[in-house]
Amino acid sequence: MRSWINERFENAWFIAETDVVKRGDVQAMQSLFAAYHNTHRFVSDVAYVSPEGAMVAPLLATPGIYVGDRQYFQEAKAGRASLTSLAQGRSSGKPICLFTVPVTRPDGGFGGAVALIVRLESLDQWLLEAKVQPGGGVLLCDGEGRILAPSSAVAAGGGPGEAMAARDVLGAGERGAVLRAGDGPARLAAAVPVGRDGWRLASEVPVSDVLTRYREQTLWLLLAAAATFMMVAPLVRRLSRNLEEPLVSLAGYARTLRATRYRESCPADFPKNAPTEIGELHDAFCQMAGEMRAHIDEVERISVEDALTGLYNRRFLFSGGLKLLEASLRANRPCSCLMLDVDYFKNVNDAFGHAAGDRALAHLARVLARCVRKSDLAARYGGEEFAVLLTGADSGQATALAERIRASLAERPCPVDGIFVPLTCSIGVAEARKRVEYGESALEDMLARADKALYAAKASGRDRVVVDEAGK
């Protein structure tokens, strides 16, 4: 659930940082919102709210609605993202939530807000599958205890805004508690916070159901164990000597695989006198472990790599980059970042086609890879924009590297179908600081300041490096 919330905010930030939204191009926004809506079924609407508080570009709702007095707009105006749960949507009549993020204009001013509207009934399948016992389910509640999902629980409780979770269940906390109302049966309850706005997942189940299932399982286990022992004890005695050593070896290998995430090679000292079946099991286990490691490596690579450029993707920039930055701040070492953008990239696409544009981005990625150190993190931030985190480098060292990258790209035109297309880039530089002014972390703050410096580089003529001076 926490991952689901974080991914929705990432989607909202991605939309808010596109050029069409930053420029306030309403017509282009509608096309962008429609494309996003068609590929994200859980989103019921995407809306842009102008700096004056008017909803000027909703995808499905009626434009012109004034929301300037809403809390989520005030939060966006203050530069903060917010999660707002509403008991009832205006058009659907069902519980919804809004993931709202601020928009920054190209000049750095407040450019309104982007809101993703999600119907909470899209979580029904998750919550219905989360039953821990027959008859017991999991509820999603807001900070006031109103039930947001699943929709069946909302309907059973009197409808949106009326269905409430029991206060004693919400008060049980994430460690859980045994509850008893008068002479009624005891219940086992827990309520776990999942993120912003006080959202919680709550569940309760009769203690008798839990104990009954454990008693039944224990009884059957004892009966099965007794019968098994009586039947196989003589055979076990005969085979124990031949089985013990290879099984201990195989179990040790399994524990090592788990501890090393399948990176351990198959042991060469497996007992030679093991029964044929155990030997075949050992061989199959080794083959399975090798295949599993290959799959894990591939999944890990795909999850962090940008397919076009081979650099890290935006997701890894925010996860791995945050770890690098926090380590640098704890060690009191400098850390800086570069934000790069290909100059006049649209002209390349218009003149040579989108395939040529892709080659230009891959060409810039290769230049970056040659210039940065192995300890640095180079990633595609989005579109034709790239980011580089430089550990152990202050703004002066980062500026020197930025100039080297800029010069290297200018000196190496990109080959496109026998033609060498000259490319230049603008670069913004910022150094990390502990004080956070933009976003919610030092990484978001540093990236935002580097992005502002990048826009200053473009505004002052492109093909140049600008350092964020305000952040020092």
Side-chain angles (χ1 to χ4, degrees):
M1 191 70 201
R2 294 187 182 108
S3 297
W4 183 85
I5 292 173
N6 291 336
E7 288 174 3
R8 303 293 77 76
F9 273 116
E10 288 179 7
N11 292 164
W13 279 114
F14 177 79
I15 293 173
E17 291 170 359
T18 57
D19 288 340
V20 296
V21 175
K22 285 177 175 289
R23 295 196 314 268
D25 188 338
V26 175
Q27 184 175 1
M29 282 187 214
Q30 290 285 8
S31 300
L32 173 65
F33 293 172
Y36 177 83
H37 181 266
N38 290 337
T39 55
H40 295 76
R41 293 181 298 172
F42 53 82
V43 175
S44 61
D45 203 351
V46 186
Y48 167 72
V49 182
S50 71
E52 293 75 28
M55 191 175 289
V56 297
L59 184 59
L60 302 176
T62 304
I65 299 175
Y66 179 73
V67 297
D69 56 345
R70 302 296 174 87
Q71 181 64 29
Y72 57 84
F73 181 77
Q74 296 301 320
E75 290 289 321
K77 201 169 182 180
R80 296 187 293 268
S82 62
L83 170 59
T84 306
S85 56
L86 300 181
Q88 191 169 345
R90 294 185 178 181
S91 59
S92 67
K94 297 181 179 181
I96 63 171
C97 64
L98 283 75
F99 296 84
T100 310
V101 299
V103 175
T104 303
R105 292 188 311 217
D107 62 2
F110 176 61
V114 167
L116 298 185
I117 297 94
V118 179
R119 290 180 186 165
L120 288 169
E121 65 180 7
S122 63
L123 301 176
D124 280 7
Q125 191 62 34
W126 286 7
L127 299 178
L128 292 174
E129 292 176 353
K131 292 184 178 180
V132 293
Q133 294 288 340
V138 177
L139 305 176
L140 176 64
C141 309
D142 66 9
E144 302 299 324
R146 289 186 291 266
I147 300 176
L148 303 175
S151 54
S152 57
V154 175
E162 301 295 330
M164 303 289 292
R167 291 193 175 275
D168 56 353
V169 174
L170 296 176
E174 56 185 305
R175 292 182 60 85
V178 177
L179 309 177
R180 186 185 295 274
D183 296 331
R187 296 166 295 148
L188 184 62
V192 181
V194 294
R196 311 184 190 207
D197 200 35
W199 281 18
R200 286 169 286 181
L201 289 174
S203 180
E204 63 174 320
V205 64
V207 172
S208 59
D209 288 357
V210 179
L211 295 180
T212 298
R213 290 175 62 86
Y214 279 121
R215 292 189 187 106
E216 292 176 353
Q217 292 173 0
T218 303
L219 178 60
W220 281 109
L221 180 62
L222 291 174
L223 291 175
T228 301
F229 179 78
M230 293 176 62
M231 294 173 59
V232 305
L235 180 62
V236 168
R237 283 194 297 271
R238 289 194 300 268
L239 296 179
S240 59
R241 291 196 184 105
N242 292 335
L243 290 176
E244 183 176 5
E245 185 179 356
L247 287 178
V248 168
S249 176
L250 194 58
Y253 178 46
R255 288 192 294 271
T256 303
L257 283 177
R258 182 174 60 184
T260 61
R261 298 190 67 193
Y262 293 89
R263 295 188 183 279
E264 184 69 16
S265 300
C266 195
D269 58 347
F270 190 75
K272 302 298 183 182
N273 61 343
T276 303
E277 292 81 1
I278 299 297
E280 293 176 353
L281 175 62
H282 169 264
D283 295 341
F285 197 73
C286 290
Q287 181 180 355
M288 179 193 68
E291 293 174 353
M292 182 65 72
R293 181 64 255 165
H295 289 313
I296 291 175
D297 288 342
E298 181 64 14
V299 170
E300 289 179 346
R301 183 188 65 79
I302 293 174
S303 66
V304 302
E305 184 179 290
D306 176 63
L308 174 62
T309 64
L311 300 179
Y312 288 116
N313 57 23
R314 179 190 180 96
R315 181 188 296 273
F316 185 78
L317 172 65
F318 279 92
S319 59
L322 184 60
K323 295 177 182 177
L324 288 175
L325 178 56
E326 289 177 345
S328 294
L329 293 177
R330 284 196 301 270
N332 201 25
R333 298 176 67 236
C335 184
S336 302
C337 80
L338 314 179
M339 291 292 285
L340 303 86
D341 191 280
V342 179
D343 295 331
Y344 303 109
F345 182 70
K346 185 176 182 301
N347 294 346
V348 176
N349 280 335
D350 292 344
F352 301 99
H354 289 283
D358 290 345
R359 293 182 193 174
L361 295 179
H363 179 72
L364 173 55
R366 289 191 293 271
V367 172
L368 275 180
R370 283 194 293 266
C371 292
V372 301
R373 304 167 299 178
K374 290 185 178 180
S375 59
D376 300 330
L377 193 160
R380 184 182 180 189
Y381 192 76
E384 66 270 23
E385 197 167 0
F386 295 77
V388 181
L389 292 188
L390 308 170
T391 58
D394 57 24
S395 60
Q397 295 166 320
T399 302
L401 175 62
E403 288 288 358
R404 192 158 61 249
I405 293 171
R406 184 197 62 77
S408 295
L409 182 63
E411 294 168 358
R412 292 179 173 85
C414 176
V416 177
D417 297 331
I419 301 173
F420 286 89
V421 179
L423 296 175
T424 61
C425 66
S426 300
I427 305 177
V429 180
E431 184 175 345
R433 61 186 181 185
K434 293 185 178 180
R435 177 173 60 87
V436 175
E437 181 179 355
Y438 304 102
E440 298 182 354
S441 67
L443 176 62
E444 293 180 7
D445 177 79
M446 181 170 61
L447 289 171
R449 290 185 289 109
D451 199 45
K452 289 181 65 176
L454 168 62
Y455 276 97
K458 285 188 171 293
S460 59
R462 294 180 169 83
D463 189 22
R464 63 194 60 214
V465 177
V466 171
V467 183
D468 167 55
E469 299 293 342
K472 292 187 176 180

